[in-house]
């Protein structure tokens, strides 16, 4: 019984629809999955339905960009109430920030005489939470770059001419927001940003867990973070961070987290969660306005 707790769809910068993602999860024999799109829970309604159709347990979640003491980190919120007004309000703010950032990135690239229009990027993104991979895909479409790596290397990485910082939520506020929405807060892929120096402050602020297993963590780094989690009584999670076809080979199936970890997550949930679960969730949007 295996799960993958870090997956993206085209509701942010993944390429799979929720339905495609759920069918891939089924193909890999996963019994539970979490959708962790960046700064949105909008895909959760369709993902829940698609998972139900494939008899897969669904965990509504999101990945927030946060910051503590100048260190950027990604914070996963699991078992979120996707109708929580504060959560939706904050996410709306981040989505607006992302949209403005795309405009700024395009404007910087245009100053370099690169033939790129805002509409190229928004036409590809077709979602409320656009990001750099959408700009990269637009650059490929315009034949400015051959692939995503080239686009990031030449233009989109930090310290490159098209780089624009993203608005970040203070980590303490992210933790509070996730908890207010009835969720559990888990530090995403600490091995990528080497954000472990932030862990003591995050624990102080109420961190619930660490994503120890990730497609870009080595076995040694996974073990390192499992030890930190155990020493601090934190939950352990893991996921592939699959973005569909964005990075060539889809990563779903590369991390198979034993279901036991999901059981432990559920044990840590506040009891109100189960009260909430007994009510059917209503549809957040018309579900059809995004591809
Ligand atoms: P953003 O949220 O707009 O800052 O974009 C971050 C996303 O870009 C993350 O999902 C990364 O996986 C992706 N990304 C970062 N570097 C690269 C790269 N070299 N090639 C492809 N995708 C990348
Ligand atoms: Zn992403
Ligand atoms: Fe991330
Ligand atoms: Fe991610």
């Amino acid at each position: 019984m295996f799960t993958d707790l870090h997956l993206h769809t085209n509701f942010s910068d993944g390429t799979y629809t929720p339905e495609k993602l759920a069918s891939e999860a089924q193909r890999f024999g996963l019994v539970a999955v979490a959708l962790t799109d960046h700064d949105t829970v909008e895909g959760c309604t369709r993902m829940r339905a698609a998972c139900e159709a494939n008899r897969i347990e669904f965990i509504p979640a999101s990945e927030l960009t946060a910051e503590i003491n100048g260190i950027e980190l990604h914070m996963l919120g699991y078992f979120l109430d996707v109708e929580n007004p504060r959560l939706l309000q904050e996410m709306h703010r981040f989505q607006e920030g992302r949209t403005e950032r795309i405009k700024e990135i395009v404007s910087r690239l245009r100053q370099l005489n690169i033939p790129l229009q805002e509409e190229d990027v928004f036409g590809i993104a077709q979602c409320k939470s656009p990001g750099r991979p959408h700009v990269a895909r637009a650059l490929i479409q315009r034949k400015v770059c051959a692939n995503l790596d080239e686009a990031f290397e030449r233009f989109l990485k930090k310290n490159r001419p098209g780089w624009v910082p993203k608005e970040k939520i203070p980590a303490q506020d992210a933790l509070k927001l996730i908890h207010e929405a009835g969720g559990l807060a888990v530090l995403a892929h600490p091995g990528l940003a080497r954000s472990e120096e932030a862990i003591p402050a995050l624990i102080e602020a109420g961190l619930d867990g660490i994503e120890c297993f990730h497609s870009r963590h080595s076995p040694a780094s996974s073990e390192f973070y499992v030890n930190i989690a155990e020493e601090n009584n934190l939950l352990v999670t893991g996921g592939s961070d699959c973005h569909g076809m964005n990075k060539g080979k889809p990563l779903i199936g590369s991390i198979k987290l034993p279901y036991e970890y999901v059981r432990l997550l559920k044990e840590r949930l506040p009891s109100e969660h189960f009260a909430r679960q007994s009510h059917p969730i209503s549809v957040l949007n018309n579900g059809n306005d995004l591809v």
Side-chain angles (χ1 to χ4, degrees), residues 217-233:
H217 279 181
S218 66
S221 108
S222 299
E223 195 186 317
F224 175 76
Y225 292 111
V226 168
N227 285 334
I228 295 186
E230 281 175 357
E231 279 163 18
N232 294 284
N233 191 29

Side-chain angles (χ1 to χ4, degrees), residues 6 9 26 41 63 65 80 87 101 117 190 219 233 236 245 250-251 257 264 267 283:
H6 195 149
T9 66
Q26 214 258 352
V41 286
E63 181 174 16
T65 309
L80 295 171
L87 182 71
R101 176 176 176 240
Q117 310 273 355
N233 191 29
V236 170
M245 297 305 286
L251 289 168
L257 184 79
L264 293 170
E267 250 180 38
V283 175

